[in-house]
Amino acid sequence: MRPVAIFDSGIGGLTVMHEAMERLPDLPVIFYADQAHVPYGNKTPDMIRRYMHQMMADLAPYHVQALLLACNTATSAAAEDLRATADIPIIGMEPAVKPAVLQEAPGQKILVSATDLTLRLDKLNRLIDDLGAGERICRVSFQKLVQFAEQGDFDSPAVYRYLEDQLSPFDMREVGALVLGCTHFIYYKPVFKALLPPSVDVLDGNEGTVKRLQSLLTYDPVGEGGHTSSHPIFLVSGKPANEQQTMFFHRCLDRLKNC
């Protein structure tokens, strides 16, 4: 079977790869982390689109059958641009706003967290408007969690202080759900569960995204340049990951067993 590429600006996409490998253990995966340019949340859309086109060129020798953008910011800034020229399916991320709206009581607020750029771009706002949920939605940036995650800092006192500060404007008695609108944020589910009341659901879009990927997979024989192993290939900004980078990726995957 031809491989699937899973892309992120950094290690956030490993949370989606973890979900994919749980559901599809034999799926050959190429994980591409653009750590030369992380974080994306403080970049311009034009810059991100340039990074995306370089990533597509880097992946060409691998003959992937689909590309999953495991990055909400890249999806918002560049997915439509990629789909206009790509000859493979491009699957993007979508924050789990709709499930939150459907499952929470009408009077409850929903916190939607994301990076600074995702919160500014139209894609998220259109999703909220289409659901008619504007009055229920409160937006919050956890931009600094991306930097914490890339440093391998998942539960230090500094992480707790940062999240307590970001959440302090909100009365949690009025909140029914926290939507994690960046794949990096998923590493911090244990921290959110420690900080938030048990009544607040913590939701992400990984399961729905992987189900969408699964529906598009083909099981054709591997073509020239295909990758047949179920062990993932790790690329860092187009180059094979070195031993230190690979060990860090596996450490992150181990972390996800408890998230």
Side-chain angles (χ1 to χ4, degrees), residues 3-22 24 27-34 52 55 59 62 64-71 88-89 91 93 183 206 209-210 213 217 232-236 249 253:
V4 166
I6 298 179
F7 168 87
D8 187 37
S9 61
I11 63 167
L14 290 171
T15 68
V16 184
M17 189 179 88
H18 174 76
E19 179 80 24
M21 294 178 73
E22 288 284 307
L24 304 162
L27 179 68
V29 172
I30 296 165
F31 180 75
Y32 187 119
D34 190 17
M52 295 292 94
M55 174 265 297
L59 288 174
Y62 295 92
V64 300
Q65 64 165 301
L67 170 64
L68 195 163
L69 296 177
C71 175
I88 57 171
I91 302 106
M93 296 298 299
T183 51
N206 282 10
T209 301
V210 172
L213 169 66
L217 289 179
I233 290 175
F234 295 111
L235 301 178
V236 177
F249 291 154
L253 289 168

Side-chain angles (χ1 to χ4, degrees), residues 15-207:
T15 68
V16 184
M17 189 179 88
H18 174 76
E19 179 80 24
M21 294 178 73
E22 288 284 307
R23 290 180 169 274
L24 304 162
D26 296 323
L27 179 68
V29 172
I30 296 165
F31 180 75
Y32 187 119
D34 190 17
Q35 289 184 309
H37 301 114
V38 69
Y40 275 19
N42 60 9
K43 303 297 191 296
T44 68
D46 284 344
M47 293 170 70
I48 292 171
R49 285 189 281 270
R50 288 199 299 273
Y51 303 153
M52 295 292 94
H53 285 288
Q54 180 60 55
M55 174 265 297
M56 293 295 285
D58 293 337
L59 288 174
Y62 295 92
H63 302 278
V64 300
Q65 64 165 301
L67 170 64
L68 195 163
L69 296 177
C71 175
N72 292 80
T73 304
T75 299
S76 297
E80 290 306 315
D81 186 63
L82 288 180
R83 290 178 182 130
T85 57
D87 58 359
I88 57 171
I90 307 292
I91 302 106
M93 296 298 299
E94 182 171 288
V97 179
K98 184 175 181 179
V101 169
L102 293 176
Q103 77 179 44
E104 303 302 332
Q108 290 182 306
K109 297 289 187 182
I110 297 166
L111 293 187
V112 177
S113 64
T115 64
D116 292 346
L117 183 58
T118 299
L119 290 173
R120 291 198 304 269
L121 292 176
D122 289 340
K123 186 176 187 296
L124 176 60
N125 293 323
R126 287 199 304 269
L127 172 62
I128 293 169
D129 289 344
D130 289 345
L131 293 168
E135 293 184 358
R136 299 179 59 190
I137 301 297
C138 299
R139 296 164 177 81
V140 57
S141 172
F142 294 146
Q143 178 67 49
K144 196 173 179 180
L145 281 188
V146 178
Q147 287 91 324
F148 279 127
E150 293 295 324
Q151 295 164 4
D153 184 353
F154 299 120
D155 54 9
S156 71
V159 168
Y160 276 83
R161 286 194 298 269
Y162 171 70
L163 288 176
E164 287 171 344
D165 184 61
Q166 294 302 101
L167 292 168
S168 62
F170 306 103
D171 183 348
M172 289 301 160
R173 294 171 297 182
E174 300 176 352
V175 175
L178 169 65
V179 175
L180 303 180
C182 171
T183 51
H184 281 85
F185 299 172
I186 294 169
Y187 290 104
Y188 298 92
K189 275 189 173 182
V191 179
F192 287 119
K193 290 177 181 177
L195 291 175
L196 298 172
S199 58
V200 178
D201 297 317
V202 180
L203 306 176
D204 66 77
N206 282 10
E207 181 179 357

